[in-house]
């Protein structure tokens, strides 16, 4: 590392031992980082090509208000998404308030009373439990007479093909496939594995509608689930595809007939995609989508960097530092509440916003133990920005994600290590 860089890291509070670990780890990861850069380069071209093919121009950034009829910027952006993901149409809207909302719109747009929804990959993300009605909630799909069936993965992480075959019946209208593992201990699914699963299910029932919850997976690989047979992909714009710039929003991309139904559900039957003013947000959506491949690459590098450092120090990490990645989240078992707190303090102290705040564990609704969260983000709750969280219960696992730039992600991890080391919670190798 250059002398100047070492000096500024010193002024930012990193000790020589921590700086040395960072340097050594980065050198070790050079080849993997090159692979990540290459994938980002490919995805960047994919987005650029779509924008060029759609003849994006400055007029598309103009705001619309009221009903938002003839908002060419909004409509063209949706075509940019569709072309990038090789599907027929997309809904990309600020009126989709978050990922959960986009998933709810997609599910309730397709499912009708008497239909059954199948999750062939185990329990879905926590917030979907109330959407589906796994946990009782007003307005759940269950209240509308839509049943739910779940087939867990086998203990070795593979699909339970026999169980899935048995679960698909005459009323099974739709399957929801979550790409990211969430808080479950299964691995995140690669796009290729999602493709195998969809092929298997469609052989049994060709008209089964397969939706993929794509959160945290976008642009991690060079293909997306729509390239392997998914009828719809759904996600949040304050994760990967907003590129850190989108201040709100969600997307649904897939077959035109289904996207039309989603639009009818989001706005109103008969109105569909025609309404929904963009209120001047278009430029941010375009720009964020344009930057997303690079932002995702930075977050991936930070995740792998963290895995390598903490693995080397003897902590169990998931995924480990060597496997190929399918999402941007890194989990580290820190094995004591003090370490978990110190890690989060470090992430917070490294933030561009609220760096002077000290995060504290609190009893968050819906969790059975206290939770600590660190985030100093430009956009509230944005998890493509550098952030970390974890429940205060054994094995005191921290979930770490994001970083709008690789440099910031790296500094956050090194600051977390610094905090742990200052409190005597970790022993660093001699320099
Ligand atoms: C984040 C996430 C959601 C929910 O998105 P929100 O924007 O937080 O509502 C759903 N599914 C998965 C897999 C997620 O990671």
């Amino acid at each position: 590392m250059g002398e100047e860089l070492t000096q500024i890291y010193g002024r930012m509070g990193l000790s020589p031992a921590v700086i040395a670990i960072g340097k050594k780890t980065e050198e070790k990861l050079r080849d993997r980082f090159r692979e990540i850069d290459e994938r980002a380069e490919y995805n960047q071209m994919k987005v650029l090509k779509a924008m060029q093919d759609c003849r994006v121009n400055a007029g598309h950034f103009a705001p619309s208000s009221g009903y938002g009829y003839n908002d060419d910027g909004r409509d063209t952006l949706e075509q940019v998404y569709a072309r990038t993901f090789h599907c027929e149409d997309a809904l990309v809207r600020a009126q989709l308030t978050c990922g959960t909302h986009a998933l709810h719109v997609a599910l309730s747009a397709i499912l009708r009373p008497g239909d059954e929804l199948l999750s062939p990959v185990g329990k879905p993300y926590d917030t979907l439990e109330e959407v589906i009605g796994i946990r009782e909630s007003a307005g759940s799909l269950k209240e509308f007479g839509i049943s739910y069936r779940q087939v867990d993965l086998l203990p070795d992480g593979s699909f339970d093909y026999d169980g899935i075959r048995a679960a698909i019946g005459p009323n099974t209208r739709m399957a929801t496939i979550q790409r990211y593992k969430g808080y479950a201990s299964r691995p995140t699914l690669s796009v290729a594995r999602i493709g195998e699963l969809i092929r298997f299910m469609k052989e049994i029932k060709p008209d089964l509608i397969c939706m993929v919850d794509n959160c945290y997976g976008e642009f991690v690989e060079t293909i997306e689930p729509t390239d392997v047979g998914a009828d719809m992909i759904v996600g949040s714009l304050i994760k990967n595809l907003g590129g850190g710039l989108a201040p709100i929003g969600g997307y649904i991309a897939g077959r035109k007939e289904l996207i039309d139904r989603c639009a009818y559900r989001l706005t109103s039957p008969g109105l569909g995609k025609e309404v929904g003013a963009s209120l001047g947000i278009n430029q941010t959506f375009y720009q964020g989508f344009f930057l997303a491949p690079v932002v995702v690459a930075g977050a991936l590098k930070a995740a792998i960097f963290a895995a390598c450092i903490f693995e080397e120090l003897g902590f169990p990490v998931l995924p480990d530092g060597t496997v190929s990645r399918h999402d941007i989240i890194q989990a580290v078992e820190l094995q004591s509440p003090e370490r978990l707190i110190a890690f989060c303090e470090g992430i917070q102290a490294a933030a561009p916003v609220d760096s002077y705040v000290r995060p504290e564990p609190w009893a968050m609704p819906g969790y059975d133990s206290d939770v600590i969260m660190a985030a100093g983000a430009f956009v509230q709750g944005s998890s493509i920005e550098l952030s970390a969280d974890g429940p205060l219960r054994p094995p005191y696992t921290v979930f770490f994600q994001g970083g709008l730039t690789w440099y910031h992600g790296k500094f956050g991890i090194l600051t977390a290590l610094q905090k742990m080391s200052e409190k005597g919670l970790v022993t660093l190798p001699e320099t």
Side-chain angles (χ1 to χ4, degrees):
M1 197 187 300
E3 191 55 30
E4 271 187 311
L5 200 48
T6 306
Q7 277 174 13
I8 197 166
Y9 275 139
R11 289 201 298 277
M12 302 282 288
L14 300 184
S15 69
V18 168
I19 295 172
I21 288 181
K23 186 180 172 197
K24 203 180 90 194
T25 308
E26 196 172 343
E27 274 165 14
K28 218 166 57 181
L29 290 171
R30 192 162 295 153
D31 287 346
R32 292 206 64 198
F33 281 13
R34 192 173 312 124
E35 276 171 36
I36 291 171
D37 285 334
E38 230 171 78
R39 238 171 285 142
E41 194 172 343
Y42 181 91
N43 285 325
Q44 180 75 84
M45 292 306 114
K46 229 166 48 165
V47 171
L48 181 59
K49 180 82 166 60
M51 288 189 175
Q52 293 176 347
D53 289 347
C54 292
R55 302 172 66 92
V56 172
N57 65 67
H60 290 144
F61 307 146
S64 66
S65 62
Y67 293 117
Y69 290 140
N70 304 316
D71 186 328
D72 197 27
R74 175 198 68 204
D75 296 347
T76 303
L77 177 69
E78 291 177 337
Q79 287 316 305
V80 168
Y81 266 62
R83 278 183 184 252
T84 304
F85 298 131
H86 308 126
C87 54
E88 292 170 357
D89 204 358
L91 201 53
V92 183
R93 303 279 168 130
Q95 288 85 2
L96 290 167
T97 57
C98 61
T100 306
H101 183 203
L103 287 157
H104 177 238
V105 167
L107 291 167
S108 54
I110 308 302
L111 294 160
R112 292 294 176 268
D115 286 346
E116 186 156 273
L117 171 67
L118 170 69
S119 171
V121 297
K123 191 178 90 62
Y125 200 72
D126 287 38
T127 55
L128 285 186
E129 290 184 9
E130 282 164 285
V131 169
I132 295 169
I134 299 170
R135 261 186 293 148
E136 292 295 327
S137 178
S140 70
L141 295 175
K142 189 178 166 194
E143 270 197 356
F144 286 89
I146 294 153
S147 59
Y148 169 72
R149 191 182 290 253
Q150 174 179 317
V151 179
D152 290 337
L153 297 180
L154 294 173
D156 68 354
S158 60
F159 299 125
D160 178 0
Y161 284 119
D162 292 338
I164 294 168
R165 186 182 292 110
I168 296 176
N171 297 332
T172 316
R173 173 121 179 88
M174 191 172 179
T176 177
I177 302 166
Q178 187 178 305
R179 182 167 171 183
Y180 165 54
K181 65 180 181 303
Y183 293 114
S185 56
R186 68 166 169 94
T188 285
L189 303 174
S190 68
V191 174
R193 286 193 69 203
I194 290 173
E196 284 164 30
L197 178 61
I198 291 174
R199 212 173 315 124
F200 175 80
M201 291 193 297
K202 292 217 176 206
E203 262 169 35
I204 297 166
K205 189 162 191 179
D207 62 351
L208 181 73
I209 293 165
C210 296
M211 177 191 84
V212 175
D213 175 349
N214 213 22
C215 282
Y216 287 132
E218 301 97 341
F219 290 148
V220 171
E221 301 184 41
T222 52
I223 53 171
E224 299 292 336
T226 37
D227 292 307
V228 296
D231 297 292
M232 280 195 288
I233 54 175
V234 184
S236 160
L237 296 193
I238 63 168
K239 293 179 179 171
N240 300 17
L241 291 189
L245 296 188
I248 189 172
Y251 76 94
I252 307 172
R255 277 170 41 207
K256 179 164 179 14
E257 175 211 344
L258 305 177
I259 298 302
D260 279 343
R261 281 178 177 269
C262 291
Y264 286 151
R265 190 66 177 75
L266 173 66
T267 65
S268 172
L271 300 180
K273 294 184 85 176
E274 303 295 319
V275 295
S278 58
L279 302 171
I281 212 165
N282 284 343
Q283 184 181 350
T284 322
F285 280 4
Y286 278 102
Q287 232 172 328
F289 191 57
F290 183 70
L291 291 178
V294 175
V295 172
V296 169
L300 272 172
K301 286 179 186 175
I304 295 173
F305 184 74
C308 276
I309 287 185
F310 284 92
E311 196 167 38
E312 187 96 9
L313 292 169
F315 296 98
V317 295
L318 188 80
D320 70 33
T322 61
V323 297
S324 73
R325 299 261 153 174
H326 306 296
D327 64 56
I328 61 166
I329 317 294
Q330 181 62 47
V332 182
E333 281 184 20
L334 292 170
Q335 298 171 338
S336 86
E338 293 80 13
R339 284 200 201 100
L340 175 56
I341 292 167
F343 186 101
C344 290
E345 283 175 1
I347 295 297
Q348 188 74 42
V353 181
D354 293 335
S355 61
Y356 53 88
V357 169
R358 219 178 53 156
E360 284 184 13
W362 60 298
M364 212 175 113
Y367 286 80
D368 54 8
S369 55
D370 282 4
V371 176
I372 186 163
M373 293 191 167
F378 296 104
V379 172
Q380 186 200 90
S382 166
S383 46
I384 189 63
E385 297 190 49
L386 188 66
S387 46
D389 56 85
L392 268 94
R393 57 164 184 253
Y396 301 100
T397 301
V398 71
F399 295 86
F400 159 90
Q401 65 261 310
L404 293 187
T405 70
W406 147 238
Y407 309 117
H408 182 227
K410 171 181 168 180
F411 179 65
I413 294 149
L414 293 180
T415 307
L417 189 59
Q418 180 71 37
K419 293 274 177 204
M420 287 165 65
S421 140
E422 279 169 12
K423 294 182 178 184
L425 300 168
V426 62
T427 314
L428 303 181
E430 301 282 330
T431 47

